Amino acid sequence: MKHAILMPAILALACSTVFAADSPSTKLDTASVTAMTATWPDTTKEVIKKTIAKYGAPQEASASMLVWHGNSPWKRTIIYKQSTPHDFPMAHIDVMQQFIDFRVDPDKYDEMAKFDGSVVLERTNGEMSARCDKEEANFLAINLARDVAMGKKTPAEARKFYADAIKQSMTGKMPPYMQKLQFDIPKGNTADKDLPAK
């Protein structure tokens, strides 16, 4: 009998603890994020600073990443503590991954991979992302990846365009492909559940 009385109380306490984590009083702020990432690499901290200035504090934080949800035009933005070295079009590190809803014909996956290894396609989720050290480079990568997916550019043409655009940006000129997404982003219905095996 005691167990029957205690169980609802235990469940209520567990639920209140879960909801408390989502309450405004526990929301991340710039100061807490700055403190949490104080030992992260300087390059990554600079990316975090710029992202917070534009989108506010992230909704999630852990010892290895920060996550923003719905920071339009992106579905999700993740900044990782651990960077990935990337030599195209010149040596840099990839720390920021930004996602949109997008479906790509599986027949195009090889071409997309030839364009840029930091563009990630998730067929089941119906998402495409780009990972770099600057949001402008992610805009560029996603815009060009769409061009490749739509047959508007070959992987080689997209790579040349990407390299030329990055060079322009280093002289202070920001090509349109680096300023924003140049197409309307699909809103859902991009997932591909595939088919059961026969």
Side-chain angles (χ1 to χ4, degrees):
M1 183 67 174
K2 287 182 180 178
H3 293 296
I5 294 171
L6 286 174
M7 190 55 78
I10 291 169
L11 287 172
L13 179 60
C15 288
S16 67
T17 303
V18 170
F19 292 128
D22 294 329
S23 68
S25 62
T26 58
K27 185 176 180 185
L28 293 166
D29 58 27
T30 302
S32 62
V33 172
T34 300
M36 179 181 284
T37 59
T39 61
W40 289 26
D42 289 341
T43 302
T44 306
K45 287 192 286 189
E46 186 60 31
V47 176
I48 292 168
K49 182 179 176 183
K50 289 180 181 176
T51 306
I52 288 175
K54 185 171 182 179
Y55 297 113
Q59 284 82 34
E60 296 180 40
S62 72
S64 60
M65 68 178 71
L66 303 175
V67 185
W68 287 257
H69 294 279
N71 58 319
S72 183
W74 307 109
K75 180 178 183 179
R76 183 169 65 258
T77 293
I78 302 175
I79 297 178
Y80 301 93
K81 178 180 181 180
Q82 181 68 44
S83 61
T84 302
H86 190 192
D87 288 344
F88 174 74
M90 60 194 64
H92 66 283
I93 58 169
D94 291 346
V95 296
M96 178 169 60
Q97 188 171 12
Q98 296 180 293
F99 299 75
I100 62 169
D101 284 327
F102 200 81
R103 181 182 284 199
V104 177
D105 186 325
D107 291 341
K108 290 283 188 180
Y109 276 42
D110 285 350
E111 290 186 34
M112 304 285 278
K114 288 175 187 175
F115 158 54
D116 188 346
S118 291
V119 171
V120 180
L121 303 171
E122 295 188 45
R123 178 179 171 187
T124 306
N125 285 347
E127 293 181 341
M128 177 165 61
S129 65
R131 186 169 168 165
C132 200
D133 62 338
K134 295 178 178 63
E135 182 175 44
E136 295 83 4
N138 283 341
F139 280 135
L140 178 61
I142 292 286
N143 282 320
L144 289 168
R146 180 182 179 269
D147 284 354
V148 172
M150 304 297 287
K152 294 181 177 179
K153 286 183 177 62
T154 65
E157 289 169 343
R159 286 175 69 81
K160 184 178 186 315
F161 190 109
Y162 189 103
D164 290 346
I166 292 294
K167 287 176 186 173
Q168 285 182 42
S169 71
M170 293 174 72
T171 67
K173 298 175 184 176
M174 196 66 67
Y177 265 44
M178 295 185 74
Q179 295 177 27
K180 65 178 184 176
L181 296 177
Q182 301 293 309
F183 57 94
D184 293 330
I185 307 166
K187 298 297 180 188
N189 299 319
T190 54
D192 183 352
K193 295 189 296 183
D194 209 338
L195 298 169
K198 293 182 180 179

